[in-house]
Amino acid sequence: MLPITEHLLHILGLEKTAFRLYAVSALLLSLLFFLFRLLLQFLRLCRRFYITCHRLRCFPQPPRRNWLLGHLGMYLPNESGLQDEKKVLDNMHHVILVWMGPVLPLLVLVHPDYIKPLLGASAAIAPKDDLFYGFLKPWLGDGLLLSKGDKWSRHRRMLTPAFHFDILKPYMKIFNQCTDIMHAKWRRLAQGSVVSLDMFEHVSLMTLDSLQKCVFSYNSNCQEKLSDYISAIIELSALAVRRQYRLHHYIDFIYYRTADGRRFREACDTVHHFTTEVIQERRKALRQQGAEAWLKSKQGKTLDFIDVLLLARDEDGKELSDEDIRAEADTFMFEGHDTTSSGLSWVLFNLAKYPEYQEKCREEIQEVMKGRELEEVEWDDLIQLPFTTMCIKESLRQFPPVTLVSRRCTQDIKLPDGRIIPKGIICLVSIYGTHHNPTVWPDSKVYNPYRFDPDKPQQRSPLAFVPFSAGPRNCIGQSFAMAEMRVAVALTLLRFRLTVDRTRKVRRKPELILRTENGIWLNLSLSWLGFGPLLASPWQLLLLLGTSWLLARVLARIYAFYDNCCRLRCFPQPPKRNWFLGHLGMAKSNEEGLRLVEDLGHHFRDVHLWWMGPFYPILRLVHPKFVAPLLQAPANIIPKDMFFYSLLKPWLGDGLLLSAGDKWSHHRRLLTPAFHFEILKPYMKIFNKSADIMHAKWKNLASEGSTRLDMFEHISLMTLDSLQKCVFSFDSNCQEKPSEYIAAILELSALVIKRTERIFLHMDFLYYLTPDGRRFRRACDLVHAFTDTVIQERRHTLILQGVDDFLKVKAKTKTLDFIDVLLLAKDEDGNELSDEDIRAEADTFMFEGEDPNVGLWKAQGRGGWTMDHPNMPFLPTFPMALNVREMLKQPRDSNLPGCSSGHDTTASGLSWVLYNLAKHPEYQERCREEVQMLLRERETKEIEWEDLSQLPFLTMCIKESLRLHPPVTVISRCTTQDVVLPDGRVIPKGNICTISIFGIHHNPSVWPEPEVYNPFRFDPETPQKRSPLAFIPFSAGPRNCIGQTFAMAEMKVVLALTLLRFRVLPDDEEPRRKPELILRAEEGLWLRLEPLSAGPQ
């Protein structure tokens, strides 16, 4: 009795009895004995493993990953894995030791002399290893592939007659027929031209078709449509490969509970059902007819594989069971189609890659087939194709279908150099390694069919070339496979010319057979020229011409890009992020981006180069002298760059902003009168009224304690209100309550900004599928509907009343709005604008305008305005009393400044003026005094047209603010011809130039201390010597802002009334500038207001 027994019973709470004491003692002794046996077995295994490791020390091995993984994962089943294997072969030429983890050593043999003892040994001494082949057992049963011992020997003897040449001869018709079907399909796919096809896909179906006919005498027409049986075989092969790479699926219990396992079982059932049904029907017929009668009925027909197996008898007269025949038929279908299709596909690939060998094979085949009506290869023709056979063998050497076979040593095996492979070791005979061993095959990577020239035999081991293995367990069907490959290659080269598809890279992938990752794609053509039949030649010629033209265009573009880069080398550039991104993303739309622009202006004071990616150069100009050649050039020579503006096309149509060429010039001339002072004078009441509404709202907010306001929000609504009244004579009261039209304009502006920041949404097709795109379309429809309604109503009134009565009515209201002027406008030929043109111009004016750019205007007494620019003609002077009809008849100069000034640019300019005056109270107070002095004797505090010229200091403050914070920071131009700069450098034709208004206004070589707000820079009494293009908030030249007088008038009115009624104070937080369509502030431009009626501050 064991001492621990009583203690154990006490722990378990059991009463002590003699029986329990002896029973527990017996159980404990049994457990100890079992553990002792396990320990002995483990120690025995450890000792055996130690002895094996000691005996394996004589074999070299590549460096391991680590002690635990060994070489596991170093030689992957892909192209890089095969290349790594080749590197090892260059240093180790005989036997290589590989560790699959810490306890599983494998010996890889790669030399004919060293694989001989294994392949030459009997199947009992060096049987196949079952580690992987066991997965195939449920499918293939105990066929030749998986059986061993006496059963394998018996089956091998009984199956050998099935591959005698007398049996194989009739199969030649099947090989020819199946190849013909494949070629007919290729011709349909090619349709008389060149077509790229995956050889693996088509050749695999062809070999399955021929095997099914040779094995079962069954035609499934699988090359045209897949049958259930063929689909099941393809699926079983794929599932077996997939299971190999999932270690947890090695356990049957787990595997058959997965989706793959269930599919494997279903496919096995499909295959077994088909094979069993054929065997049973054939055996029943054999028993009914008897062997002799049955054989007589087969005369003149093909004796298939099932027939041979049914008739086979061993030495004792015993036949194969139905289960044995099924196993051998399934094995033949499995091993036969994949290996043959792999070998055949790689042969075609090599012949496509080496056209000289392809042509020599073709000549050999044509010589054999010469004089025959039928293109059919016969059995006796095979020996007359020596060079084709050489090409097939060299391809099998370079790309063996099966890359390795495995053997397990059941006893010690001695190698030629005296080293011994210990018993129990798994050996891998690397067919791929042997075929690429540099000591056996010099220049093993080179495809050279002459290695197998029968007229010049080379002295090498018979085991140097083993694509079908060798020894007792070599491939029983190699004659079948070689015959089928020669027939398929011969007929293919007779009918098609093969070339490699260079667009698809071939990367090898060793699985059950040597495949590729993405197939072997070859180009097939029918004639020696590669153009197909004669009837298709015009189309091929057209394709060739088209391809040549496209190639010429590409080469021309490449040359033009290279030439452009060479010519741009004279322009300096800041350091790039990298060669691919260039300067992309360096200057962002925020405060830091603007500071970078300032720094670049300090460093590069005229022109610098900016790369948007690797292929898109942009020239940025930041000096007045250098922008002059661009801004003063005609619009057709230096047009706008439309990369961004095209996003506005659905909204703004072909208005001044987006039109070009003659249409732009035509509209420009027609629109100029709309901005004459006689038209603008009545707008002064609208400006005053809109400002009054905004100020009343401010006073209400101030009375409620809200003195901190976002200027952008309020002033933008005010400018929209005044614009709607000036353009449509429509009061939406948008400053007090929401308006659908105004909301749509604000939404469209926001959506355009958002779209510019998302490159992939620049494509209309994608954009209009998004929620933003649908909102953009709805907002466009709303804006267009409003504008169209106003235009149609106004035109209807004009037609009913006539021009004279229409103008008399307008004279009573004293306001001729923008729509009225456009309806009355006529060109030199008397043509008027269409409704669509008027809508485009009205929408453009409401949005922003063409280029919010400058022309330098000065007062010419009280009679009119002239252009203060040396290179521009004078604008005709119109007297105050000139009536509207006479004004519209005046000649229009196409070079007059042009672009409507919209709500956003005016709102931005006004907001930043108020910000600067808040920051500089001394200038604010002086402006206020100037306004108070002007209006001191008036009862109605209203700014009139004549008052504008009497506010010089206020005008100076506005201009200095527009310099420091220009509403539009940059404009772009595209050069349609070379542009010579003042220093002799040339901007090449076709380049995008960005004129940085912000950069010019902050250039220290143009404006000393550019960051300082100093209105006296614009003092008319002390004019400074600087270029007229040093100050261009509204641009300049032919495409400058047509509405700048409108904008300046509105800004002066609103600013004067604001300073008269409020004191503006800066906010505690400094705003962060954000350049978008206009120059905004990131979180709004917040200022504090104090109504002056509240008393002295």
Side-chain angles (χ1 to χ4, degrees), residues 542-838:
L542 185 62
L543 179 63
L544 181 63
L545 290 173
T547 305
S548 302
W549 175 82
L550 184 62
L551 180 61
R553 289 292 301 271
V554 170
L555 292 174
R557 288 286 180 91
I558 293 171
Y559 175 76
F561 176 72
Y562 172 75
D563 181 61
N564 190 51
C565 290
C566 292
R567 297 181 69 187
L568 289 174
R569 286 178 184 169
C570 58
F571 297 102
Q573 57 180 301
K576 299 182 185 180
R577 292 177 67 183
N578 53 55
W579 73 269
F580 182 72
L581 294 175
H583 303 97
L584 198 65
M586 288 177 63
K588 298 179 180 177
S589 297
N590 55 21
E591 181 69 30
E592 288 73 22
L594 287 177
R595 288 177 182 171
L596 177 62
V597 173
E598 292 173 5
D599 294 340
L600 292 173
H602 292 178
H603 187 71
F604 307 104
R605 299 197 171 190
D606 42 41
V607 187
H608 60 271
L609 186 60
W610 193 265
W611 284 91
M612 303 297 286
F615 308 116
Y616 195 61
I618 292 176
L619 285 167
R620 304 180 72 166
L621 296 91
V622 293
H623 196 282
K625 291 181 180 178
F626 289 81
V627 302
L630 291 168
L631 292 180
Q632 294 172 359
N636 60 331
I637 294 176
I638 309 293
K640 278 189 175 184
D641 173 48
M642 298 301 291
F643 178 71
F644 158 71
Y645 290 111
S646 60
L647 305 182
L648 299 167
K649 194 84 170 177
W651 173 15
L652 305 183
D654 279 327
L656 276 184
L657 179 63
L658 302 181
S659 59
D662 294 338
K663 186 167 188 175
W664 176 83
S665 302
H666 175 247
H667 283 211
R668 179 70 175 245
R669 293 193 300 273
L670 288 173
L671 261 68
T672 300
F675 296 94
H676 187 261
F677 71 91
E678 289 291 349
I679 300 293
L680 297 182
K681 270 186 181 181
Y683 293 166
M684 295 294 288
K685 286 189 178 295
I686 294 174
F687 298 157
N688 280 274
K689 182 180 178 183
S690 295
D692 291 344
I693 294 170
M694 179 177 70
H695 290 161
K697 187 167 62 170
W698 285 0
K699 286 178 180 176
N700 289 335
L701 292 170
S703 66
E704 296 170 1
S706 301
T707 59
R708 183 174 178 266
L709 302 176
D710 177 9
M711 291 296 103
F712 266 113
E713 178 186 345
H714 291 268
I715 294 176
S716 184
L717 285 174
M718 186 275 295
T719 55
L720 275 169
D721 185 25
S722 63
L723 268 175
Q724 204 171 10
K725 293 170 182 174
C726 294
V727 174
F728 303 112
S729 297
F730 182 82
D731 185 2
S732 65
N733 197 21
C734 65
Q735 294 193 68
E736 298 294 335
K737 61 180 181 181
S739 157
E740 283 189 351
Y741 175 75
I742 298 299
I745 287 181
L746 293 172
E747 184 175 33
L748 286 169
S749 300
L751 289 172
V752 168
I753 292 168
K754 191 188 295 186
R755 188 178 180 187
T756 58
E757 296 168 353
R758 300 176 182 179
I759 299 297
F760 65 95
L761 290 183
H762 283 209
M763 292 170 25
D764 288 343
F765 171 74
L766 290 178
Y767 183 62
Y768 289 116
L769 294 176
T770 65
D772 279 0
R774 292 191 288 273
R775 287 169 56 203
F776 184 87
R777 186 165 275 163
R778 284 196 299 270
C780 279
D781 292 342
L782 195 152
V783 169
H784 292 166
F786 176 86
T787 311
D788 287 339
T789 301
V790 173
I791 294 168
Q792 289 165 7
E793 288 178 357
R794 202 74 58 84
R795 189 181 288 282
H796 183 67
T797 303
L798 178 62
I799 292 170
L800 288 176
Q801 295 180 353
V803 176
D804 291 334
D805 291 340
F806 182 79
L807 287 175
K808 285 178 184 177
V809 172
K810 289 293 178 180
K812 292 178 183 178
T813 62
K814 298 181 180 180
T815 304
L816 197 68
D817 64 30
F818 190 64
I819 296 293
D820 296 333
V821 175
L822 296 183
L823 284 167
L824 293 168
K826 288 185 173 56
D827 62 13
E828 298 84 352
D829 300 324
N831 297 322
E832 59 185 15
L833 292 169
S834 67
D835 287 2
E836 189 176 352
D837 291 336
I838 295 173

Side-chain angles (χ1 to χ4, degrees), residues 267-550:
C268 279
D269 292 341
T270 301
V271 170
H272 292 165
H273 176 75
F274 176 85
T275 311
T276 303
E277 197 173 66
V278 172
I279 294 167
Q280 289 173 352
E281 286 179 2
R282 203 74 60 83
R283 190 181 289 281
K284 183 179 177 182
L286 178 61
R287 285 174 180 168
Q288 287 176 350
Q289 296 179 13
E292 292 184 8
W294 194 67
L295 283 173
K296 283 180 182 179
S297 68
K298 288 286 183 178
Q299 286 181 0
K301 298 180 182 179
T302 304
L303 200 66
D304 63 32
F305 191 65
I306 296 292
D307 295 334
V308 175
L309 296 184
L310 284 168
L311 293 169
R313 299 286 189 278
D314 62 12
E315 299 83 354
D316 302 325
K318 293 179 180 178
E319 59 185 14
L320 292 169
S321 67
D322 288 359
E323 189 176 351
D324 290 337
I325 295 173
R326 188 191 75 188
E328 299 302 347
D330 290 341
T331 299
F332 191 34
M333 288 297 297
F334 164 66
E335 285 202 294
H337 86 276
D338 251 1
T339 50
T340 310
S341 64
S342 172
L344 190 50
S345 299
W346 285 112
V347 172
L348 296 176
F349 169 76
N350 279 314
L351 292 176
K353 193 175 179 181
Y354 300 97
E356 66 277 15
Y357 299 141
Q358 181 183 163
E359 194 56 40
K360 188 165 182 179
C361 288
R362 184 175 290 108
E363 291 171 0
E364 182 180 70
I365 296 156
Q366 288 170 342
E367 185 65 29
V368 171
M369 305 293 287
K370 188 166 59 177
R372 297 186 188 178
E373 291 184 6
L374 292 175
E375 289 181 351
E376 191 171 291
V377 180
E378 299 173 358
W379 180 264
D380 296 332
D381 296 332
L382 299 182
I383 59 172
Q384 298 180 49
L385 299 173
F387 190 75
T388 304
T389 305
M390 289 159 53
C391 290
I392 292 172
K393 287 184 175 181
E394 174 63 359
S395 185
L396 292 174
R397 180 199 67 80
Q398 201 172 34
F399 301 103
V402 177
T403 56
L404 58 84
V405 293
S406 63
R407 297 287 186 267
R408 181 182 291 274
C409 302
T410 59
Q411 62 184 47
D412 289 356
I413 295 179
K414 190 175 183 180
L415 297 177
D417 59 2
R419 287 180 292 178
I420 293 174
I421 300 174
K423 173 186 175 182
I425 290 293
I426 297 173
C427 295
L428 301 179
V429 178
S430 176
I431 298 173
Y432 177 87
T434 305
H435 288 185
H436 288 77
N437 193 324
T439 63
V440 181
W441 301 95
D443 299 322
S444 59
K445 288 185 178 180
V446 177
Y447 181 78
N448 179 15
Y450 292 100
R451 302 182 200 268
F452 295 93
D453 190 349
D455 297 331
K456 298 177 182 177
Q458 299 182 28
Q459 293 182 349
R460 56 174 171 256
S461 168
L463 297 178
F465 177 65
V466 286
F468 301 99
S469 188
R473 295 199 72 138
N474 72 337
C475 179
I476 196 172
Q478 56 186 295
S479 300
F480 179 98
M482 283 298 292
E484 184 174 15
M485 280 195 282
R486 281 186 278 190
V487 170
V489 169
L491 293 178
T492 299
L493 297 184
L494 191 65
R495 297 163 181 168
F496 296 91
R497 179 164 300 277
L498 310 175
T499 55
V500 176
D501 187 345
R502 302 292 178 185
T503 63
R504 302 172 190 263
K505 193 172 182 180
V506 175
R507 292 179 58 83
R508 297 169 294 177
K509 187 178 183 182
E511 292 178 341
L512 291 177
I513 58 162
L514 183 61
R515 298 180 176 274
T516 62
E517 291 180 9
N518 299 304
I520 295 179
W521 292 83
L522 301 181
N523 296 320
L524 281 78
S525 56
L526 298 177
S527 72
W528 69 275
L529 282 174
F531 289 135
L534 189 61
L535 291 175
S537 60
W539 298 106
Q540 289 295 336
L541 185 60
L542 185 62
L543 179 63
L544 181 63
L545 290 173
T547 305
S548 302
W549 175 82
L550 184 62

Side-chain angles (χ1 to χ4, degrees), residues 1024-1045:
Q1024 300 181 28
K1025 292 183 179 180
R1026 56 175 173 257
S1027 167
L1029 298 178
F1031 177 65
I1032 52 172
F1034 302 97
S1035 186
R1039 293 198 76 141
N1040 72 336
C1041 180
I1042 197 171
Q1044 57 187 303
T1045 309

